[in-house]
Amino acid sequence: AVLCEKSYNQVLSCLSILKSRHAYLPLNVDWPLTRLTDVCRQGNVKYILTTNNIQNSIPNLNSLESEFTFINVDEILYK
């Protein structure tokens, strides 16, 4: 799943997922945490690509780390 604002990072994330021959699930950053959780569970999501800004702006997002693996796009792109 991709949890990013509309930006260059989102485009790169989606293209990378498609190039690896996987499907992506776009998530809206304005959704409440319960909605994000439900959508990810229904979509059998294992990984969520996100950014530093999003991880810091959504309260209790880190509580989902037991269910999903978060991959920080900022750390990958800007090493």
Side-chain angles (χ1 to χ4, degrees), residues 10-65:
Q10 183 186 32
V11 173
L12 284 178
S13 298
C14 294
L15 288 175
S16 300
I17 292 169
L18 292 174
K19 185 166 178 138
S20 68
R21 296 182 182 218
H22 290 88
Y24 77 94
L25 178 65
L27 302 172
N28 191 331
V29 295
D30 296 326
W31 287 345
L33 188 61
T34 53
R35 174 78 174 135
L36 291 172
T37 306
D38 290 342
V39 169
C40 288
R41 285 180 184 154
Q42 290 174 5
N44 295 323
V45 169
K46 294 179 185 174
Y47 303 100
I48 299 176
L49 276 69
T50 188
T51 62
N52 286 330
N53 292 340
I54 299 301
Q55 281 188 310
N56 295 332
S57 67
I58 298 177
N60 299 324
L61 186 63
N62 293 335
S63 65
L64 300 178
E65 287 182 346

Side-chain angles (χ1 to χ4, degrees), residues 65-77:
E65 287 182 346
S66 61
E67 279 189 76
F68 311 107
T69 302
F70 287 89
I71 300 173
N72 192 323
V73 177
D74 292 335
E75 291 176 5
I76 296 170
L77 292 177

